[in-house]
Amino acid sequence: MAAKVAVLGATGAVGREVRRLLDERGFPLDGEPILLASERSAGKRLPWKDGEVEVRAVGPDAFDGVDIAIFSAGGGRSREWAAVAAEAGAVVVDNSSAFRMDDEVPLVVAEVNPEAARRRPKGIIANPNCTTMVLMVAAKPLHDAFGLTAAVATSYQAAGGAGMGGITELIDQTAKLVNDPDRLRTDGAAAEASVDTGNFSKAIAFNVLAHCGSFDDERYTDEEWKLVNESRKILDLPALRMSPTCVRVPVVVGHGIQARLSFSQPVERDAVLAALEGAPGLQIVDGVGTGGEPLAYPTPLGSAGIDDVLIGRIREDLGDPYSINVWVVGDNLLKGAALNAVQIAELVAAED
Ligand code: A2P
């Protein structure tokens, strides 16, 4: 059945991908999508198929007649408008963190726990955090095969995870600093002081920040807690032991995660490869270039614009026969956000 779809945050980095995917994946749309953003964007025209659709400011009547509303405008807007949209009869697919840990809101990765989307007493389905999403696509087939007990996960997160503003900040800082390599080499503090920061706490260009999100009293960040709590909820493993570290790197798109995954039984590389082979939404990119094997491993640039999550550097752990190490990379705007949201919307549209 064709569904009337609204996109809140249609002008943003994720919203742009949502619009493209609705069109390219042949989503069963009832007419044109309703494109919603802030007052600032009202009246702006965005491309849709061969023409354009006018952006509307979100408001109390914006969701009348809407079947599915895909939200990607930040947690504040989700808290403000999700109940309004649900009250109007829409199923909300929410890309923010506002409802992810709500017991009455399913947290769904399309390849991992699609059945959870059906139980949604609030009319809201949450789309997981982009880093968690990428890791889950790889972890699920391994959990099914060997029983996941623990994960030490370190993310290398793209600036684009902070939206268009994050991308612009990286590009602007890079443009400013790239012409002064001597200063970058001899006086990093002066280089850093010469650029404007807003989305990130320190300069992101030519830098690596062991900081995504905001710190709590336990010295972990909210982004790190998302990785812990959302993984437990998605895999239905409330006791999963996790050690997260989230790091921001000067990459436009593509989150990488180095994960040491531990299981309830010893694991060997061949069995891991067999378990990953054919897993939905996952491509194995794994060759180390020795003995004539092609050199191949995932990179953020290799993942940008790709639907699948990429996995490589698959190694048995050197100290623990129950653990393996993997390097997983996924486009944070696609599988990490827009693609999974559209996949969830497809699940809803396909319901009886
Ligand atoms: P707008 O372009 O009108 O500001 P990104 O994640 O790339 O920064 O995008 C954020 C998205 O959220 C944009 O589409 C933005 O619209 C939208 N947005 C931000 N603030 C509001 C608001 N107060 N009401 C509705 N949409 C908003």
Side-chain angles (χ1 to χ4, degrees):
M1 201 194 79
K4 191 78 195 165
V5 173
V7 181
L8 174 59
T11 53
V14 175
R16 173 201 301 233
E17 295 304 320
V18 169
R19 284 187 276 124
R20 181 179 68 76
L21 289 166
L22 287 173
D23 181 16
E24 288 180 6
R25 290 173 65 88
F27 189 95
L29 279 171
D30 175 1
E32 294 171 338
I34 297 172
L35 304 183
L36 302 170
S38 74
E39 290 281 0
R40 293 180 292 275
S41 302
K44 194 171 167 179
R45 301 186 72 79
L46 294 175
W48 173 254
K49 293 190 184 287
D50 295 332
E52 292 177 332
V53 171
E54 187 171 312
V55 178
R56 304 183 202 168
V58 66
D61 303 330
F63 302 99
D64 291 352
V66 170
D67 300 306
I68 302 173
I70 300 177
F71 277 34
S72 203
R77 262 65 62 196
S78 293
R79 276 184 284 272
E80 189 175 357
W81 296 110
V84 175
E87 186 65 26
V91 175
V92 176
V93 180
D94 183 32
N95 195 41
S96 82
S97 61
F99 303 104
R100 288 184 191 145
M101 296 314 298
D102 185 324
D103 286 342
E104 295 188 310
V105 174
L107 184 61
V108 175
V109 182
E111 295 82 355
V112 174
N113 60 340
E115 66 292 341
R118 284 182 171 267
R119 200 198 141 267
R120 45 172 192 265
K122 289 189 172 166
I124 302 170
I125 303 168
N127 207 37
N129 160 265
C130 39
T131 302
T132 311
M133 188 97 72
V134 170
L135 182 61
M136 289 301 97
V137 172
K140 168 70 170 157
L142 298 175
H143 171 55
D144 287 346
F146 311 114
L148 187 67
T149 58
V152 180
T154 303
S155 70
Y156 298 69
Q157 297 184 209
M164 282 295 194
I167 295 175
T168 307
E169 190 162 319
L170 169 61
I171 299 296
D172 288 352
Q173 290 181 358
T174 305
K176 177 143 200 206
L177 294 175
V178 74
N179 294 318
D180 202 352
D182 280 344
R183 187 144 67 148
L184 284 169
R185 185 173 53 80
T186 60
D187 192 350
E192 177 148 31
S194 73
V195 296
D196 294 329
T197 55
N199 288 273
F200 309 112
S201 54
K202 298 172 184 287
I204 182 63
F206 301 100
N207 216 356
V208 170
L209 313 181
H211 173 199
C212 296
S214 45
F215 287 100
D216 70 6
D217 293 344
E218 291 174 271
R219 297 180 172 268
Y220 283 86
T221 64
D222 57 348
E223 194 76 2
E224 289 161 350
W225 279 114
K226 288 176 195 170
L227 193 50
V228 174
N229 293 326
E230 295 184 21
S231 299
R232 289 173 172 167
K233 180 168 175 176
I234 293 162
L235 295 173
D236 196 17
L237 288 173
L240 181 67
R241 286 178 284 127
M242 287 204 71
S243 306
T245 306
C246 291
V247 177
R248 189 75 69 184
V249 293
V251 158
V252 171
V253 150
H255 286 356
I257 303 130
Q258 155 60 35
R260 179 187 194 255
L261 302 174
S262 302
F263 301 94
S264 58
Q265 53 185 289
V267 279
E268 292 181 354
R269 183 181 134 85
D270 285 350
V272 167
L273 285 172
L276 294 173
E277 197 67 55
L282 192 67
Q283 271 181 49
I284 302 173
V285 184
D286 184 271
V288 288
T290 57
E293 190 185 9
L295 175 65
Y297 55 84
T299 61
L301 279 182
S303 81
I306 302 271
D307 283 355
D308 284 342
V309 168
L310 311 177
I311 185 168
R313 297 295 318 276
I314 300 165
R315 294 149 284 159
E316 290 166 16
D317 193 76
L318 294 178
D320 176 15
Y322 289 74
S323 296
I324 52 141
N325 285 292
V326 293
W327 169 241
V328 188
V329 184
D331 184 321
N332 49 293
L333 297 179
L334 290 183
K335 185 59 204 174
L339 173 60
N340 197 66
V342 172
Q343 287 174 308
I344 293 174
E346 287 169 352
L347 291 171
V348 174
E351 289 173 2
D352 295 337

